[in-house]
Amino acid sequence: MVHMSDQPTQVSNGTQPSTSTVSIDQTRVAKRTLGTWQIIVLIIGAMTPLAVIVGTAPLGFAFGGPSTVLAFLIAGIVIGIFCIGYVQMVRRIDRPGAFYNYIARGLGRPAGVGGAMVGTIGYLFGFLGAAAIQGFTLQESIIALTGVEVPWVLLHVIPLLLVGFLIYRRIDISAMLISIIVAFEVVLLLALSFAIIARDGIANALPLEVISPDVFSIGSWTVAFIFAFLCFQGYEAGALYAPEAKNPGKTVPRALYGALAIIVVVLVLTTWTLTSVSGIETQMDVVLEQGLSGFIFATVGEYLGTFGLVLFSIGSLLAQLAVMITIGNFMSRYLNGLARDSILPSYLGRLNKHGAPYAAQFTLIGIGIFVPLLVWAFGGDPYTQVSTIAFGVGAIAATLLQALASISVVGYFLKQPAAQRSLWKQIIIPSIASVLLIAALAIELAGFSWITGVEAGWTVLLPILVFAMLVFGIGFGYWLRKNRPEVYQDLAAGDSAEEAAAIRTDRLMTQAAAREQKKQ
């Protein structure tokens, strides 16, 4: 395993170039403006609870059955166990790139580059899936509210341009908007749950049979788990905001725990009460008969009335906007962090005056607009042919990243003196999390067609793409060690964003000095 040095590459030729030879964009450090609550809403925004209840939970109900409630609880527990070890790394390393850094520190730089490539392909596919679906979601919501059918092309392009504008600004502006949307969503879901409890009584609305092991015999618990675990993808990205967080060693861990607690409580309570409405034994038939989202909106109409139905439709519109803003924010920051370490093209590493990764953001928005439009122009369906497949690849990549990050926690702390590490938090619990996440990955791989909704034989090749990127990244890491040792030496070096920027500046100035010498 390669020793990780945090010392910057030193200028060995004695020439000191002017700092003007190094672009400010290449060395700028983002401002630390985010507090705990702002990071919480940015995490929840990627897993927006209303979108989960309207879009993903009904899939679990229809094809998995009543074990969906326990599946959400179990998935939350698995992520919680993962989080215990994960925050140990967050408290020590808050440079850009998050888990790429953790994997590099724990398992060696080549493995870190492999993880970086997995994240790149996974997040690009994830953003593409969200971009492909949002136009259709907005179109259906507007029809339900007004009866007016707005062209899909407009609803696809205009919101993405708005998302791009918001991401370009300071991230705390996005966090403020998302906090309002998330609060609105949580209030709506709690109102629905308490309305069911108030009318049907707590014993009927929260039947204990739902959390009994017997529900695993109804339907398919593995399918229920796949859809439940899918809703937690992107949770680990909360650490990507560490370079912009105030006191990241405290705010980011608190945000990770806080966001998880809110998500699990809201989703378990809502799916529990919804299961009581459909009936435990009859849930799969009822949901399929009424339609996936149709079951949810029918329940809302029954318990909250027409006004509640209007609010849920508006909430669905806002939830989609929140998802796009949040995903765009953390994905652009991930690409930016890798580019600043010279793993990806350098132009992606640029920051604007607000500290936003505008070059990576413009690239994401361009991909999100162009690919679905291209599929649509050639007569395809971006909703069924792009979004589901993209989400499937993104889910596999995210779970693999979580597993690698958890293993890296163990690797990192095994290198530390025994007296300076916690056996439980830093070795045993992360080891347990690694096993659980690998098991979750195996379940996802076995049921990949359930995630994509596509039965075609060629789809089995898509998960191979994720693992191929891991192998390619590891190989690229070894190539960097041999052919670009100055870049390799600085991979994941520096514990903070400021240290990483100083190391990057030193390397860029050294390279600029070498170029100036060649000209002389």
Side-chain angles (χ1 to χ4, degrees):
M1 197 169 291
V2 181
H3 175 69
M4 179 66 64
S5 171
D6 290 344
Q7 298 302 314
T9 305
Q10 300 297 319
V11 179
S12 58
N13 54 23
T15 303
Q16 292 293 330
S18 167
T19 55
S20 63
T21 61
V22 178
S23 168
I24 294 176
D25 270 353
Q26 295 174 303
T27 58
R28 193 192 302 270
V29 178
K31 299 175 182 178
R32 293 188 178 274
T33 60
L34 297 177
T36 300
W37 173 248
Q38 291 167 308
I39 300 174
I40 285 176
V41 298
L42 286 168
I43 296 171
I44 295 177
M47 307 178 290
T48 174
L50 186 56
V52 169
I53 293 300
V54 173
T56 309
L59 291 168
F61 291 154
F63 303 110
S67 58
T68 298
V69 180
L70 274 180
F72 273 112
L73 182 59
I74 294 170
I77 291 172
V78 171
I79 296 298
I81 294 172
F82 159 75
C83 188
I84 292 173
Y86 193 57
V87 299
Q88 300 300 312
M89 299 294 280
V90 174
R91 290 192 173 107
R92 288 160 176 79
I93 304 168
D94 63 73
R95 74 188 306 279
F99 29 79
Y100 140 67
N101 298 303
Y102 310 150
I103 296 170
R105 294 290 187 91
L107 303 178
R109 292 185 182 91
V113 178
M117 292 302 173
V118 170
T120 299
I121 192 72
Y123 285 161
L124 285 176
F125 270 85
F127 186 82
L128 179 58
I133 200 175
Q134 56 92 24
F136 292 95
T137 303
L138 292 175
Q139 188 179 52
E140 291 179 4
S141 297
I142 291 174
I143 291 173
L145 283 170
T146 67
V148 177
E149 184 173 350
V150 180
W152 170 80
V153 173
L154 293 178
L155 295 177
H156 172 67
V157 175
I158 294 175
L160 281 171
L161 294 177
L162 174 61
V163 167
F165 171 76
L166 290 170
I167 297 175
Y168 186 85
R169 308 294 297 177
R170 282 173 46 180
I171 191 171
D172 53 336
I173 296 176
S174 293
M176 180 177 65
L177 176 60
I178 294 170
S179 66
I180 296 172
I181 297 174
V182 166
F184 183 54
E185 292 181 53
V186 171
V187 169
L188 284 178
L189 293 175
L190 291 179
L192 176 60
S193 294
F194 286 119
I196 296 172
I197 293 171
R199 180 188 295 187
D200 298 343
I202 192 168
N204 293 323
L206 298 173
L208 295 179
E209 294 85 353
V210 171
I211 56 173
S212 164
D214 293 337
V215 296
F216 290 118
S217 63
I218 306 172
S220 173
W221 71 267
T222 56
V223 174
F225 178 80
I226 286 171
F227 287 119
F229 203 76
L230 183 65
C231 297
F232 291 91
Q233 304 307 317
Y235 167 81
E236 76 288 341
L240 286 168
Y241 299 111
E244 295 165 87
K246 304 171 185 175
N247 194 4
K250 292 184 178 179
T251 54
V252 176
R254 288 172 183 169
L256 286 166
Y257 284 125
L260 182 63
I262 293 171
I263 283 288
V264 171
V265 169
V266 171
L267 293 184
V268 169
L269 177 63
T270 307
T271 53
W272 198 344
T273 52
L274 286 171
T275 298
S276 74
V277 173
S278 66
I280 298 174
E281 298 283 347
T282 58
Q283 183 178 67
M284 299 174 72
D285 292 334
V286 168
V287 175
L288 286 172
E289 181 180 344
Q290 295 186 13
L292 298 177
S293 59
F295 164 70
I296 303 297
F297 283 104
T299 304
V300 171
E302 179 182 351
Y303 286 89
L304 294 179
T306 303
F307 182 64
L309 202 55
V310 171
L311 290 180
F312 258 76
S313 297
I314 294 172
S316 296
L317 288 169
L318 295 175
Q320 193 62 50
L321 178 63
V323 168
M324 291 306 302
I325 295 172
T326 307
I327 293 177
N329 265 308
F330 80 70
M331 289 185 182
S332 59
R333 279 157 176 78
Y334 183 73
L335 298 178
N336 177 267
L338 299 183
R340 290 168 80 85
D341 275 3
S342 299
I343 295 176
L344 295 180
S346 60
Y347 84 94
L348 294 172
R350 297 170 182 171
L351 299 177
N352 63 17
K353 63 182 180 180
H354 304 294
Y358 72 95
Q361 163 217 330
F362 289 156
T363 301
L364 281 174
I365 295 298
I367 292 172
I369 290 176
F370 177 73
V371 175
L373 280 179
L374 186 65
V375 173
W376 173 77
F378 280 91
D381 185 346
Y383 181 40
T384 60
Q385 295 177 315
V386 176
S387 63
T388 54
I389 292 173
F391 280 137
V393 174
I396 297 298
T399 305
L400 177 58
L401 266 183
Q402 290 172 347
L404 288 172
S406 199
I407 295 170
S408 71
V409 175
V410 179
Y412 176 81
F413 285 105
L414 283 176
K415 299 176 185 178
Q416 312 306 315
Q420 297 178 17
R421 64 175 182 243
S422 167
L423 180 62
W424 276 100
K425 291 182 179 180
Q426 297 168 352
I427 304 296
I428 295 178
I429 292 179
S431 297
I432 295 172
S434 301
V435 174
L436 293 174
L437 288 166
I438 291 172
L441 179 61
I443 293 173
E444 288 181 350
L445 289 171
F448 187 71
S449 61
W450 285 105
I451 301 176
T452 63
V454 179
E455 297 288 348
W458 61 267
T459 59
V460 300
L461 300 176
L462 292 173
I464 297 176
L465 173 64
V466 177
F467 290 93
M469 289 300 293
L470 174 64
V471 174
F472 167 76
I474 292 173
F476 182 52
Y478 281 110
W479 182 89
L480 287 174
R481 185 173 70 174
K482 180 179 180 181
N483 297 281
R484 299 189 64 187
E486 74 286 354
V487 171
Y488 182 84
Q489 179 64 23
D490 290 348
L491 293 179
D495 289 342
S496 68
E498 292 76 14
E499 289 179 11
I503 292 169
R504 177 177 172 79
T505 300
D506 183 86
R507 172 164 56 84
L508 292 174
M509 290 180 67
T510 301
Q511 292 171 345
R515 287 194 296 269
E516 289 179 5
Q517 280 190 335
K518 287 182 179 180
K519 293 179 181 179
Q520 293 174 358

